Structure formats: structure tokens, C-alpha cells
Amino acid sequence: MTSLLAPWQKIDAIKTFVLPGLNFVMRAADYLKSDLRKLRSCITKNVKKVCKLPTRAANSYIFAAREAGGLAFIDPNVDAGILVLTQVVRVLSSEDTMVRSVAMKQLTSVVHRTIHAAPTDEDIDKYLSGSSEGPLANSSNSGQASSLWSRARAAVRRLQVTIRGANSGSVVVEYQLPDSGRTTEVASKGVTTALRQLQRIRSAQRLKSLPDQGKMARSLSNDHFANGSSWHASGRFMRFCDWNFIHRARLNCLATNAAAKRWKPDSDGKCRRCPSQKTLPHILNHCHKNMVPTRRRHDLVQDRLVRAIKHGDVFVNQHVPGDPNPRERPDVTVIEGRKITIVDVSIPFDNGPDACSIAANAKVEKYANLRQALREAGNDVQVHAFIVGSLDTWHQENEKTLGRLGVSKRYRTLMRKLYCIDAISGSRDIYI
């Protein structure tokens, strides 16, 4: 934290060098839960400093998956249980028959002392899966010392997973994905990665459930490319001032008059430049006094889109040639013979999962009459909306637009990131 690293380098260094150094200790040794709580507190406190977040910012943002805009850290309290399960699955699935035999005999002995009978394979699986039914009902009062197997039993309950095939030599861990409810199983080599991702997804679910700070996460959940998190570890194309802005903006923790009403009851929350409430959406998208920088942000995205078009005649902010009743002036029109593509750029506020779709539908409807008139003249006409959220949401339908314009899939990978960074940069300048 006191180094001269860039903020994204500090995030990357903690995740790459500091936390992995604890993996073996948490797999093989016993430790105090109080130490894990201290470590978690240290992580959240310092990561919030790096991201310029206030203390009221939701901790789930730090541990949520990248697909929801989170920083994708892993909670030490959760990771301890994951690594215990990893150790259990690895020794029970070891290719070394001696290791596997010793581990199985120890486990069988522990289960035998718990249920006071010779255990079957089903009893062993139930024990490891945290069951409290039948003979295992009083397992908590068995008086046995803590062991790897008892820690694994407690970890399974916390992680809400089950273990099968302990005596088969090929142990699998089963769990349900939060979004789909589909049951998934993973073998020994992928246990750590799969369970860590599961916990990130669960943290993302908690973040999305927050009515205020979860709006951006709900909006980003439709971005299958995770463009909204491409700059977290690399800071590529990111200005320092944009980094200081975007994390607070995503969690609605920026200083606005409307937000100040929470701790200043005498504040009316009004914008200083118009009668509306000074919320973040108002500042970035709706205040008429901000239309000049808002237009500048729009043009950043539009100009980058125009530069990517390599085929056909391109008309920017002009009437469409051949329009019998020229009234509309689309942002971009591309004509290749009888093939006409109309593209209108919009940067709505990321106010939920449907924000981009609503803006796209409005743009397509706007040019419905123009499209019909050009089609009646014998042209192949398509109208597309090109949508990028104010805080970095990438609309999936943009892929169809880029495909229609002939942009290669390889270049799109870079373009998505550049468009999102342009939106962040423009929004920060509007806010300032």
C-alpha cells in the first residue's frame, strides 16, 4: 500500500503474490478463525483505499465475479474451507496408492468412531457432505479432536456442496450454480478453481440484490465478454483520474446533493444548475446544462466507430441519400450499393439489466419510417443502435452492428475495451 505502484498494480500484486502465499498453510495446517477475520478486514480496508471507496461501500463488490463488475478477490474465510476440501479431495484421489490408502483408513476410522459402527461407502460420503441425519445426528457431540476430516465436514456445510465417491479413488464435488440452479460436479484437479468461482458468483448475487449499490452489477450481468472489468488488473487505456472515479460511480458513492440527503436532512438534493434532483443519472445523462460534455462523450464513441468502418460510403450526421422525405439525420450511415446500414449511437445510464435494451429499442423505432421508405425503393436496409452504458456496460446487440459493418472479430476484442474506456472517460469529465 505504501509502494509507488499504480492502483491497478497494487490490486494485481495482492491477488498474485500475497494471498496465494497462504494457500498451503490453509490446506495443510490448523489456524485460528480470528486470524482469517483480521485478514479479511485488512483486505477490504486496503482495497477500498486503492479504489477510493468510502467505508460504506459494499464488501461484496470486492469479492464479486468480474462478470458483475467486481474485483474478484476471494474471501479468506471462504477460501479456508475451499482449500480444506481441496486437500481432502486430492488425498482421496491421489495416484499414489499409499497416500490414498492411508487417507481412506484415517477417514474410515473417524466415521467409525462417530457412528459407532462399521461405515459403508454411503456413510462416508454422507459424513464428508455434512449430513446430520440418522447415525450422524449427534456427530457434533462425539468428543473427537479436530482433524482434516472434521474441518472438511464443517467447510462443506458453509460452502453448500456435497462430496461423492470418497472410496472410489475419483472423488467429485457437487454444487448448484446460483443463476441457473443446474447441478455441476467437478473432479479433484479443478476443485479449487471451480469453488472459488462459485463463491465469486454468490458474492455477485449478493451485490446484485442491493437496491442502490447493485444497479451497475445488474446491468453488467448481460455483458458476456466482461468488458466492464477488462481494466481491473492491467489499467490498460485507463487514466488515473478515471480509476478514482469509476469505482465510486458504480456503487453510487460519489458526492452528489441527492446522496448527501442521507446524512444532511436539511439538504434539498437539488441540482445547482436546474430544478431537478442532483442524482448521478441526472449529472451524467439528463442535466441540460451538461449537454456540451455529454455530446463530447457521444462523439468519442461515434468517431471510434466511424474509424473502424473500412468499406462503403460513410455519412456522419447527414441525411440519408435517397430518402424521399429527408428529415432524419442518423449518426452514421454506410452505403454499399443497395446495402444501407443506419447506426445511431446512444450512451444511456446503466440503471439496471434492461437499460441498454430500452435505449436500443427506442433508437430502432425512431427510424422505422425511414427504413420503410428506403426498403420500398428496393434497398437492403437495416437500422442498428450502438449502445454503450455511461459507466461501462457493453450492449450485446452491438456485435450484430459490428458484424454488419464488416469489423473483424479479432479487432472487436480490442474495440469493446476502447469503447468502454471512452464511456468512463467521458462520464468522468461530465461529473467534474
Side-chain angles (χ1 to χ4, degrees):
M1 287 299 298
T2 58
S3 69
L4 298 180
L5 294 173
W8 47 84
Q9 291 174 327
K10 292 180 180 180
I11 295 289
D12 190 44
I14 295 171
K15 293 168 68 173
T16 306
F17 300 109
V18 179
L19 297 181
L22 300 171
N23 285 0
F24 180 76
V25 175
M26 289 197 284
R27 274 181 59 178
D30 207 349
Y31 39 80
L32 296 176
K33 292 182 180 179
S34 58
D35 290 337
L36 294 179
R37 288 193 291 269
K38 289 179 183 178
L39 176 60
R40 185 184 190 276
S41 176
C42 182
I43 290 172
T44 55
K45 177 182 176 181
N46 286 286
V47 170
K48 285 180 180 180
K49 284 184 180 179
V50 172
C51 297
K52 307 299 182 183
L53 288 169
T55 54
R56 68 184 179 90
N59 289 339
S60 51
Y61 178 74
I62 297 172
F63 303 112
R66 293 176 66 247
E67 290 76 11
L71 299 178
F73 278 81
I74 188 70
D75 188 334
N77 295 315
V78 177
D79 203 30
I82 292 173
L83 292 171
V84 166
L85 284 188
T86 299
Q87 182 72 2
V88 166
V89 172
R90 292 282 175 86
V91 296
L92 293 176
S93 303
S94 175
E95 296 179 357
D96 189 321
T97 55
M98 177 65 73
V99 172
R100 191 168 66 248
S101 175
V102 170
M104 196 62 212
K105 286 181 179 178
Q106 288 182 351
L107 174 58
T108 303
S109 175
V110 169
V111 179
H112 186 221
R113 290 197 301 271
T114 302
I115 65 175
H116 307 292
T120 63
D121 291 348
E122 183 180 1
D123 291 331
I124 293 173
D125 287 349
K126 285 184 176 181
Y127 177 86
L128 285 179
S129 297
S131 174
S132 297
E133 299 176 354
L136 294 168
N138 298 319
S139 58
S140 60
N141 300 323
S142 60
Q144 296 187 43
S146 174
S147 65
L148 173 65
W149 315 109
S150 62
R151 295 202 303 273
R153 181 173 166 81
V156 162
R157 289 172 172 170
R158 291 196 303 272
L159 297 173
Q160 300 174 18
V161 300
T162 57
I163 296 178
R164 289 193 302 103
N167 198 23
S168 65
S170 56
V171 188
V172 295
V173 178
E174 287 186 347
Y175 58 88
Q176 281 192 337
L177 293 173
D179 293 330
S180 62
R182 179 171 52 88
T183 300
T184 303
E185 62 179 38
V186 59
S188 61
K189 291 185 178 180
V191 166
T192 307
T193 302
L195 292 184
R196 282 177 172 173
Q197 185 59 21
L198 174 64
Q199 295 311 307
R200 293 186 181 107
I201 293 173
R202 288 175 176 171
S203 293
Q205 291 293 101
R206 289 193 290 272
L207 179 61
K208 292 176 188 177
S209 68
L210 300 177
D212 183 37
Q213 297 189 23
K215 291 179 181 178
M216 186 64 196
R218 292 193 290 273
S219 183
L220 284 171
S221 61
N222 293 328
D223 180 6
H224 304 304
F225 297 100
N227 297 289
S229 306
S230 62
W231 40 267
H232 279 179
S234 66
R236 196 177 182 193
F237 313 118
M238 172 75 70
R239 300 182 299 179
F240 283 89
C241 57
D242 294 339
W243 177 275
N244 295 338
F245 163 82
I246 186 59
H247 297 284
R248 289 178 293 161
R250 284 184 163 186
L251 294 179
N252 198 24
C253 291
L254 286 167
T256 63
N257 287 348
K261 290 174 64 176
R262 300 173 183 175
W263 54 85
K264 292 182 179 179
D266 56 334
S267 173
D268 60 3
K270 294 290 184 65
C271 178
R272 291 176 296 174
R273 309 178 72 180
C274 67
S276 302
Q277 286 286 306
K278 190 178 181 180
T279 61
L280 188 59
H282 172 76
I283 295 170
L284 299 185
N285 288 78
H286 307 309
C287 186
H288 294 292
K289 300 292 185 179
N290 284 342
M291 284 301 108
V292 172
T294 301
R295 181 69 190 181
R296 193 179 301 124
R297 178 184 62 185
H298 172 277
D299 291 345
L300 278 174
V301 176
Q302 175 183 289
D303 293 345
R304 192 178 295 281
L305 179 62
V306 171
R307 291 196 298 270
I309 301 171
K310 303 301 181 183
H311 306 286
D313 298 322
V314 182
F315 301 87
V316 180
N317 295 325
Q318 299 180 36
H319 296 299
V320 179
D323 183 2
N325 188 15
R327 289 176 299 179
E328 305 291 352
R329 297 176 60 181
D331 289 334
V332 182
T333 304
V334 182
I335 301 179
E336 298 179 73
R338 287 288 183 178
K339 179 182 176 183
I340 301 177
T341 305
I342 298 172
V343 182
D344 217 43
V345 176
S346 180
I347 307 180
F349 188 78
D350 321 66
N351 208 23
D354 299 326
C356 290
S357 299
I358 293 171
N361 293 335
K363 288 293 185 182
V364 173
E365 281 296 317
K366 178 181 177 181
Y367 297 102
N369 293 333
L370 174 60
R371 177 182 57 200
Q372 184 62 28
L374 293 174
R375 282 182 175 176
E376 289 175 355
N379 298 299
D380 172 21
V381 185
Q382 286 190 13
V383 178
H384 292 266
F386 195 81
I387 310 296
V388 182
S390 298
L391 299 178
D392 204 3
T393 300
W394 176 260
H395 186 43
Q396 293 301 302
E397 295 299 314
N398 292 346
E399 298 299 312
K400 295 181 180 179
T401 306
L402 296 177
R404 172 80 174 184
L405 297 176
V407 180
S408 67
K409 291 184 178 180
R410 183 177 181 181
Y411 187 43
R412 286 183 220 172
T413 303
L414 174 62
M415 286 185 67
R416 295 186 202 108
K417 297 177 175 62
L418 293 173
Y419 286 127
C420 291
I421 294 296
D422 285 343
I424 294 173
S425 177
S427 295
R428 181 263 172 192
D429 291 344
I430 294 170
Y431 176 77
I432 294 300

